[in-house]
Amino acid sequence: MKKILNYIDGTYQDPTSGEWLDNFNPSTGNIYSQIAKSTPKDIEHAYVAAKEAFPSWSTTPIETRSKIMLRIADLIEANLDRLAAAESLDNGKPVSLAKAVDIPRASANFRFFGNAITQFASEAHESVGRNTMNFTLRQPIGVVGCISPWNLPLYLFTWKVAPAIAAGNCVVAKPSEVTPMTAYLLGELLSEAGLPKGVLNIVHGTGPEAGQAIVAHPNIKAISFTGGTTTGEHIARTAAPMFKKLSLELGGKNPNLIFADCNYEKMLSVTVKSSFANQGQICLCGSRIYVEESIAETFKKDFVAKVSELKVGNPSDNDTNLGALVSQAHMEKVENYIEIAKNEGGTVLFGGNKVSVPGHEQGYYLQPTVIEIDDNKCRIQQEEVFGPVVTIVSFKDETEAIQMANDVQYGLSATVWTQDLNRTMRVSKQLEAGIVWVNTWLNRDLRTPFGGVKNSGVGREGGFEALRFFTEPKNVCITY
Ligand code: NAD
């Protein structure tokens, strides 16, 4: 059976434990590969490789770093079909989605930060009249840790490691043990692109063992983490007393506010996507739909009609809209939330059941599910489900819409549908979220700050924000 090995110091290696974890294909429920079960010893090996690579990599001219990163981007692009197929097999998402979104974005991440580093600059402050000049050095931190989740595996893994190495750091990175395959395949491409050994080390294993060893390592000075809020809390508890730099991108429960004056057709088709793309397993999915009372009945009817056209099926079929959920445990969690919603008085307008896909009967398939709710305080409105489930609540006016939208512990993103510019400004300013999309969704410019407020995280990724995170500012003050 295929083995997913660690990539340390530029070579593939078995875990020192000699132990392996099962890797499941969510579309069939079968075990199809074995994952290195790394321990703190493997993390230490990766750390030593990174530390040894650092003096040379951190002084490698920016143009050279950039050139290598652009080569990695080209190689990801050249391997689009193979990587997309691997991502789909590992995660359950439709191949068509991996091909259109995940893999192109992984390539774009390397290309973007390979270019961005050539434009990154720091400040100078002249203390006029005091014969003093200050300038800020932006130096790489050293060895940094990057930990990523399973929903957009290569996309989010590269979103972290690309700015880290662009800025001159060396990295110990761990993808999710639920979806390690494409990060494993990336190792080959790094070597082929000529990335010096030790600059990016990819270690596999569980969160509590391998992930924890990265976070707790005394000499890994910064941690960039994307994942669940509870895990983020645990990581903060471990890393804060060690005074590490921390970037935490956590869960969401994002509102989608639909006003009666919106462009209805556009709103309807984008709302189907923002509800169910990637089986609803995108941290930015709009899982709480709030619709203005005057159009609520029409919207429910039209939305359900459109959702009922979505095809749940084999991720390899071109016409599949929703593939499999990522794991049995996750599917059960989502099913459980549907039950909770029903018990709390929710009305299932569509879906709610498992789907049996012919030839893939043991796969983890669920119908896209639409639930009408009248209590904003119930669990399905407050807790992150992270699956193909959206709720619909109607509101009477703007004030009520904003109040309900903000009435959760999360604050990642929000979507607003209106043609009224004044309302756009008023609502955007009041929403408690790191990202607000108006008349669009998941429309990303990689230069913009990305991240959440409240329990959705701390810090921002993207553009120069990421390069600032992965560097340490040092002021040099000179008098003359
Ligand atoms: P998770 O928190 O279970 O795991 C994420 C990563 O952390 C995995 O690699 C895991 O092995 C590791 N990990 C787990 N315990 C650890 C520990 N004690 N120390 C160090 N590492 C540890 O999250 P998940 O289930 O993989 O992903 C889903 C979650 O990610 C959802 O909550 C979703 O909203 C969130 N997410 C957020 C964003 C964002 O940008 N804000 C993007 C995607 C996903």
Side-chain angles (χ1 to χ4, degrees):
M1 195 175 280
K2 175 85 182 159
K3 285 202 152 73
I4 294 179
L5 307 172
N6 290 332
Y7 178 80
I8 297 177
D9 207 17
T11 58
Y12 282 113
Q13 304 182 6
D14 281 353
T16 50
S17 66
E19 290 180 47
W20 304 87
L21 303 163
D22 290 335
N23 192 23
F24 289 82
N25 171 353
S27 76
T28 60
N30 297 331
I31 296 168
Y32 83 105
S33 57
Q34 299 282 309
I35 312 161
K37 185 174 178 298
S38 304
T39 62
K41 209 163 165 189
D42 302 289
I43 300 301
E44 185 58 25
H45 290 167
Y47 166 72
V48 170
K51 185 179 146 220
E52 281 170 7
F54 181 69
S56 165
W57 181 246
S58 56
T59 52
T60 295
I62 279 170
E63 295 73 15
T64 311
R65 278 190 225 154
S66 171
K67 218 183 247 173
I68 294 171
M69 292 187 65
L70 299 185
R71 275 206 293 268
I72 299 170
D74 288 344
L75 284 168
I76 294 174
E77 234 165 65
N79 284 274
L80 172 69
D81 289 341
R82 186 167 74 103
L83 290 170
E87 200 71 293
S88 166
L89 200 66
D90 215 25
N91 173 280
K93 67 178 69 207
V95 174
S96 57
L97 184 73
K99 227 166 152 170
V101 176
D102 294 73
I103 308 306
R105 175 60 191 277
S107 166
N109 288 339
F110 276 106
R111 194 175 306 288
F112 176 81
F113 283 109
N115 286 322
I117 194 63
T118 67
Q119 306 299 312
F120 188 48
S122 61
E123 311 82 39
H125 302 86
E126 184 182 4
S127 309
V128 177
R130 288 161 49 194
N131 289 353
T132 300
M133 188 67 196
N134 294 274
F135 65 89
T136 309
L137 283 174
R138 281 254 163 212
Q139 295 175 298
I141 295 167
V143 179
V144 300
C146 297
I147 300 175
S148 56
W150 51 255
N151 63 322
L152 299 167
L154 194 63
Y155 173 137
L156 289 174
F157 184 80
T158 55
W159 180 234
K160 298 185 172 306
V161 300
I165 65 172
N169 301 284
C170 294
V171 181
V172 178
K174 193 191 90 62
S176 168
E177 64 275 32
V178 184
T179 54
M181 185 56 94
T182 45
Y184 159 75
L185 295 173
L186 180 67
E188 282 169 32
L189 307 184
L190 301 178
S191 299
E192 197 179 334
L195 186 73
K197 63 193 181 88
V199 172
L200 174 51
N201 304 280
I202 303 168
V203 188
H204 301 278
T206 68
E209 193 172 26
Q212 176 70 20
I214 295 173
V215 178
H217 196 289
N219 297 318
I220 297 181
K221 292 293 183 195
I223 302 291
S224 172
F225 169 79
T226 298
T229 294
T230 311
T231 315
E233 209 181 304
H234 180 81
I235 288 176
R237 255 201 301 273
T238 308
M242 301 171 88
F243 307 112
K244 296 191 183 203
K245 259 187 133 172
L246 266 184
S247 165
L248 301 173
E249 301 294 335
L250 310 176
K253 188 75 189 173
N254 311 307
N256 178 2
L257 308 188
I258 300 169
F259 290 92
D261 68 355
C262 68
N263 175 335
Y264 190 80
E265 287 309 314
K266 186 178 174 203
M267 174 280 294
L268 201 58
S269 62
V270 176
T271 295
V272 172
K273 287 201 187 102
S274 68
S275 304
F276 299 116
N278 205 38
Q279 297 74 246
Q281 302 166 140
I282 301 181
C283 53
L284 305 162
C285 276
S287 55
R288 290 182 292 146
I289 297 174
Y290 294 100
V291 57
E292 193 163 355
E293 241 166 38
S294 58
I295 58 165
E297 286 311 312
T298 316
F299 171 77
K300 278 188 276 179
K301 188 164 59 61
D302 294 345
F303 184 63
V304 165
K306 265 206 181 301
V307 172
S308 68
E309 288 165 11
L310 294 174
K311 186 186 157 206
V312 180
N314 182 343
S316 303
D317 292 348
N318 274 336
D319 61 346
T320 289
N321 300 112
L322 278 81
L325 271 69
V326 76
S327 67
Q328 168 116 27
H330 189 58
M331 182 176 67
E332 285 166 6
K333 176 187 152 185
V334 176
E335 285 182 289
N336 189 38
Y337 268 111
I338 296 171
E339 282 313 304
I340 290 172
K342 285 190 209 160
N343 293 336
E344 288 180 316
T347 309
V348 177
L349 301 181
F350 186 80
N353 300 309
K354 272 193 193 144
V355 178
S356 176
V357 172
H360 289 59
E361 286 79 7
Q362 302 307 312
Y364 317 133
Y365 301 94
L366 272 186
Q367 285 181 299
T369 299
V370 184
I371 305 176
E372 189 178 9
I373 290 286
D374 57 13
D375 173 12
N376 202 46
K377 287 286 186 199
C378 65
R379 285 184 65 190
I380 194 85
Q381 283 301 89
Q382 295 290 325
E383 298 175 19
E384 185 185 45
V385 177
F386 213 55
V389 178
V390 281
T391 56
I392 302 182
V393 175
S394 61
F395 63 83
K396 56 175 186 311
D397 58 21
E398 195 178 299
T399 308
E400 190 185 36
I402 294 167
Q403 186 273 324
M404 289 197 287
N406 287 341
D407 189 19
V408 289
Q409 59 171 333
Y410 294 106
L412 187 54
S413 68
T415 308
V416 183
W417 292 95
T418 178
Q419 306 264 46
D420 180 336
L421 183 58
N422 292 327
R423 169 179 286 148
T424 297
M425 293 306 300
R426 281 193 306 271
V427 175
S428 303
K429 284 178 81 169
Q430 291 176 76
L431 283 169
E432 294 168 359
I435 302 148
V436 178
W437 279 297
V438 182
N439 300 330
T440 183
W441 176 73
L442 202 50
N443 187 339
R444 296 275 295 118
D445 181 323
L446 302 188
R447 294 170 301 178
T448 59
F450 179 90
V453 299
K454 294 156 81 176
N455 290 5
S456 291
V458 184
R460 292 292 180 276
E461 298 185 312
F464 291 151
E465 298 274 351
L467 295 176
R468 284 189 204 105
F469 174 77
F470 283 117
T471 51
E472 203 59 87
K474 179 191 286 173
N475 188 59
V476 179
C477 175
I478 307 168
T479 60
Y480 53 92

